[in-house]
Amino acid sequence: MKRTACVFVATAVLAGCARAPKAKAPQPAPPGHGLPSGAAALLPLPARLEPGRGAEFRITGKTVLHAGDPALAGSAAALREWIRRATGIAPAPASPVAGPPENAIELSLDPARTALGPEGYDLVIDAKRVLLTAAAPAGVFYGVQTLRQLLPYWAEHEAVLFAEPRPATLPPLHIEDTPRFAWRGAMLDVARHFFTVDDVKRFVDLLALHKMNRLHLHLADDQGWRIEIAKWPDLTAKGGLGEVGGTPGGFYTKAQYADIVAYAAARFVTIVPEIDMPGHTNAALASYAQLNCSGQAPPPYSGTEVGFSALCVDNPATYQFIDDIVGEIAAMTPGPYFHCGGDEVKTLTPAQYRTFIERVQTIVQAHGKQMIGWDEIAGATLLPSSIVQHWRPEAPKDTLARAAHLVLSPADRSYLDMKYHSDIAIGLTWAGLIPVKTAYDWDPGTLVPGAAPGSVLGVEAALWAETLANIRDLEFLAMPRLAAIAEVGWSPASLHSWEPFRLRLAAQAPRWTALGINFYRAPDIPWKSF
Ligand code: NGO
């Protein structure tokens, strides 16, 4: 395939090109969205996109789909299914050929395309073929998500099947896309309210659709312990029973956790398990009296206060407990991270807190994991591999700037549990109201002045569950702001612009509706109807 040197970055022509308008001025944006017709719903916005000249690619009964490498089988199967739902036609697998046949969709790996990195992809659509190439399987997966957003919205709807095949078209274009940040995450608090395995999988699906790649599970807090630990069975037998409001809680068995991990991995999402400590530990303290300095177990807790609980940090047995927990969770988590929490400890001295975090860090490292913790841990002496997750808007920026690695979850931008608007029944307000524009309009590159180049790994949206009763509430607070954070994490800063984003967001409504997502129809977004 001949690659052209002429690349449009969203609406601007960057390099001289036969197709470029005569003047070097930026290309006038097509009405509304700044993307060629047929590509108006791409979200996150690709880094580089050049509209093609020729005819569209037509998916017909003769279209074949060829995945050149067994590692791409999952992406190919998913794409075949979306095409089948979109058109009533399931493209036949093509046998390997020297060059892809015409009327073919070809997915391939080319490790020599190092500029695409581990997650980038190159997608060329013309009248004859669709060529999707990446250096690694994750890139093909993200390219397939882009193709999915180019298909009609009813590709998402399991219930719609056409009696007769209905060909669909894909617009001619060339996309060369790589993410801005390696860490594009979301946190789900399954401790304050428990979410089932199926709920978590549905959340993973939302991440994958938006090219997000980390799911941080907040697995323990004052109100509940949600992961089976063989050596400490009462953590779940007692500590997993309740949740906020006193309703029944729940927990994941090891087999269920493995199921979540595998489901996420198939969608290139890495699970980041969190056991919050030394504070936010009432569920553990209520399960085992020996974890308390007093030797007395407190009652279970179903309120929403924070800061009152802490492990007995001066008791050596506490560290045996932590070693057992970290060891079992590390063994069932293939990803490289263990999140130790570390937030909002109000009952320890600063010295006790620092010593505790440093000991936990050693334990995490001994179990082969990289420690991540909320931004209070930045005050401790951290290993070069440890990651600080910034959340407090008022956290001292000079301390944060010294962190070797940062994940940014500023509560006043990326906390999905804040209300959109004061009239909305669910959500909190302590970090302010977060309408969609506020969640979108910030730059992770400048949030922490003085941060070393490359120290910002990326962004993470946080969905705390004090006010979430079920998956419908979860979806309502997450969407559309999750999509906003996804674009902040993926798309280049130079293309960041609220107005075109707002219109691309509006174009998601039919797809999200077909997916059955209970999204907030923010009044400032001109949501598209069918
Ligand atoms: C804070 C607190 C959580 C709350 C959340 C609610 C952090 C890191 N600790 O964020 O316990 O659930 O706010 O927005």
Side-chain angles (χ1 to χ4, degrees):
M1 185 259 312
K2 188 171 166 297
R3 291 182 52 231
T4 167
C6 154
V7 175
F8 285 60
V9 171
T11 58
V13 180
L14 280 196
C17 154
R19 275 168 266 174
K22 281 181 206 121
K24 291 234 164 96
Q27 181 80 321
H33 42 66
L35 288 171
S37 106
L42 294 182
L43 198 162
L45 186 63
R48 288 150 173 261
L49 187 150
E50 176 195 1
R53 260 181 314 175
E56 296 164 322
F57 180 84
R58 220 173 137 72
I59 300 168
T60 68
K62 293 198 174 119
T63 303
V64 294
L65 173 60
H66 178 227
D69 191 296
L72 307 181
S75 289
L79 181 58
R80 179 173 290 111
E81 176 60 10
W82 281 312
I83 291 175
R84 187 185 68 85
R85 291 190 204 162
T87 62
I89 300 161
S95 54
V97 281
E102 291 201 0
N103 205 344
I105 301 171
E106 172 83 12
L107 314 184
S108 63
L109 287 181
D110 180 358
R113 298 286 302 273
T114 50
L116 293 172
E119 297 187 302
Y121 64 94
D122 184 302
L123 174 64
V124 181
I125 302 176
D126 62 28
K128 293 182 175 166
R129 314 184 170 90
V130 174
L131 295 178
L132 171 58
T133 314
V140 169
F141 180 83
Y142 295 130
V144 164
Q145 300 309 311
T146 295
L147 281 169
R148 174 184 180 185
Q149 292 184 341
L150 294 171
L151 286 167
Y153 69 83
W154 55 85
E156 308 293 347
H157 208 307
E158 288 172 48
V160 174
L161 274 185
F162 298 110
E164 296 290 329
R166 182 200 283 197
T169 56
L170 296 169
L173 48 71
H174 180 188
I175 290 175
E176 206 178 292
D177 199 9
T178 50
R180 180 177 179 195
F181 291 109
W183 189 297
R184 304 176 306 278
M187 188 219 71
L188 181 61
D189 169 14
V190 296
R192 267 54 174 276
H193 277 98
F194 182 64
F195 290 92
T196 64
V197 171
D198 284 346
D199 292 341
V200 175
K201 288 181 177 175
R202 196 164 157 83
F203 195 54
V204 169
D205 289 342
L206 288 181
L207 301 190
L209 170 61
H210 298 99
K211 303 187 174 77
M212 298 178 92
N213 64 1
R214 301 278 187 276
L215 173 61
H216 165 180
L217 288 174
H218 184 76
L219 290 166
D221 211 302
D222 291 321
Q223 300 84 349
W225 186 284
R226 308 298 181 205
I227 179 78
E228 179 186 356
I229 302 290
K231 285 193 187 141
W232 297 79
D234 283 352
L235 289 171
T236 46
K238 293 184 181 168
L241 292 177
E243 59 177 17
V244 165
T247 35
F251 66 92
Y252 309 120
T253 63
K254 289 192 185 230
Q256 287 174 321
Y257 182 77
D259 185 21
I260 292 172
V261 165
Y263 188 89
R267 288 151 185 81
F268 296 90
V269 172
T270 301
I271 298 294
V272 181
E274 177 187 353
I275 298 295
D276 206 344
M277 57 180 116
H280 291 273
T281 38
N282 192 76
L285 298 169
S287 306
Y288 287 98
Q290 70 264 39
L291 296 176
N292 296 269
C293 288
S294 65
Q296 302 274 316
Y301 183 69
S302 59
T304 57
E305 292 301 315
V306 296
F308 60 89
S309 57
L311 294 171
C312 192
V313 298
D314 296 326
N315 179 359
T318 295
Y319 298 92
Q320 184 58 53
F321 169 75
I322 294 171
D323 190 67
D324 291 344
I325 303 299
V326 176
E328 289 197 26
I329 292 180
M332 47 179 158
T333 304
Y337 314 107
F338 180 91
H339 200 303
C340 70
D343 56 320
E344 297 180 312
V345 182
K346 298 183 185 163
T347 60
L348 303 181
T349 65
Q352 276 180 314
Y353 175 79
R354 277 198 304 274
T355 308
F356 175 84
I357 294 296
E358 288 157 18
R359 284 189 76 167
V360 171
Q361 181 174 243
T362 309
I363 294 171
V364 170
Q365 189 190 35
H367 288 287
K369 298 294 177 191
Q370 202 173 341
M371 189 178 82
I372 169 167
W374 297 107
D375 63 23
E376 289 93 329
I377 70 160
T381 302
L382 298 179
L383 290 167
S385 59
S386 292
I387 303 170
V388 172
Q389 183 167 13
H390 172 39
W391 69 281
R392 293 171 301 164
E394 75 288 358
K397 293 285 194 296
D398 51 337
T399 312
L400 292 178
R402 286 197 291 275
H405 307 288
L406 282 165
V407 168
L408 303 180
S409 303
D412 51 358
R413 300 285 186 175
S414 66
Y415 266 34
L416 304 180
D417 57 312
M418 293 302 121
K419 288 178 192 269
Y420 295 95
H421 183 275
S422 53
D423 286 347
I424 283 169
I426 54 170
L428 303 176
T429 54
W430 70 263
L433 300 173
I434 307 190
V436 187
K437 187 170 193 291
T438 304
Y440 180 73
D441 250 346
W442 61 287
D443 181 2
T446 56
L447 190 76
V448 180
S455 62
V456 175
L457 301 179
V459 297
E460 189 171 293
L463 187 46
W464 299 96
E466 284 93 333
T467 68
L468 307 185
N470 53 46
I471 183 83
R472 311 303 290 160
D473 292 349
L474 180 162
E475 290 175 356
F476 185 80
L477 287 181
M479 301 293 280
R481 291 179 296 192
L482 185 75
I485 301 296
E487 178 147 319
V488 168
W490 181 281
S491 307
S494 58
L495 300 185
H496 187 93
S497 180
W498 165 249
E499 193 51 31
F501 172 76
R502 193 174 77 99
L503 299 175
R504 280 182 294 108
L505 196 59
Q508 307 306 311
R511 182 169 306 274
W512 291 355
T513 305
L515 282 166
I517 299 169
N518 182 36
F519 64 98
Y520 171 56
R521 290 183 174 260
D524 52 342
I525 311 295
W527 298 107
K528 257 187 79 178
S529 54
F530 295 101

